[in-house]
Amino acid sequence: LLPGCGGVKLWPFGSDTVQERSRTPANATEYQCAGGKRFYVRTLEGGAAAWLILPEREVRLDKLATGSGTRYGNGVAVLEINGSEASLTDGTVSLAACKAASSG
């Protein structure tokens, strides 16, 4: 019924080609875990806190006293970082032996 509409572009934001963007948040370290799971950590306030970025949510964790490595928590979630390895536990997630992804 509308013969002239076949060549009309309805996408007003530039070309039709899709460019893949980096999925790593700026200034964050990616940790890769078993089963293809991953999360990101961005340190805040000179290491006094961390911003934990999960696929379904983001939370702030404050630094906790620890004997070795670095530990952050918020009363529910606990993130432990020791060198290039990290583990995360909270009410819905338990990830262990996660490795920092290489940056190149």
Side-chain angles (χ1 to χ4, degrees):
L1 296 171
L2 300 172
C5 293
V8 174
K9 289 187 177 185
L10 299 176
W11 185 251
F13 305 110
S15 73
D16 292 338
T17 49
V18 176
Q19 293 182 346
E20 182 69 24
R21 289 187 174 175
S22 170
R23 295 173 192 242
T24 303
N27 302 317
T29 301
E30 176 183 11
Y31 288 92
Q32 298 175 346
C33 312
K37 305 283 185 179
R38 67 184 66 213
F39 61 89
Y40 302 90
V41 176
R42 181 182 302 141
T43 56
L44 306 172
E45 302 167 10
W51 193 252
L52 174 63
I53 304 165
L54 296 163
E56 66 279 359
R57 69 186 183 283
E58 298 181 18
V59 295
R60 176 192 167 104
L61 304 173
D62 293 311
K63 191 170 186 177
L64 305 171
T66 183
S68 64
T70 307
R71 193 170 178 185
Y72 298 95
N74 65 1
V76 176
V78 175
L79 170 67
E80 294 186 59
I81 301 173
N82 194 358
S84 64
E85 193 169 296
S87 63
L88 171 67
T89 55
D90 76 7
T92 60
V93 176
S94 182
L95 303 171
C98 302
K99 304 283 186 187
S102 61
S103 58

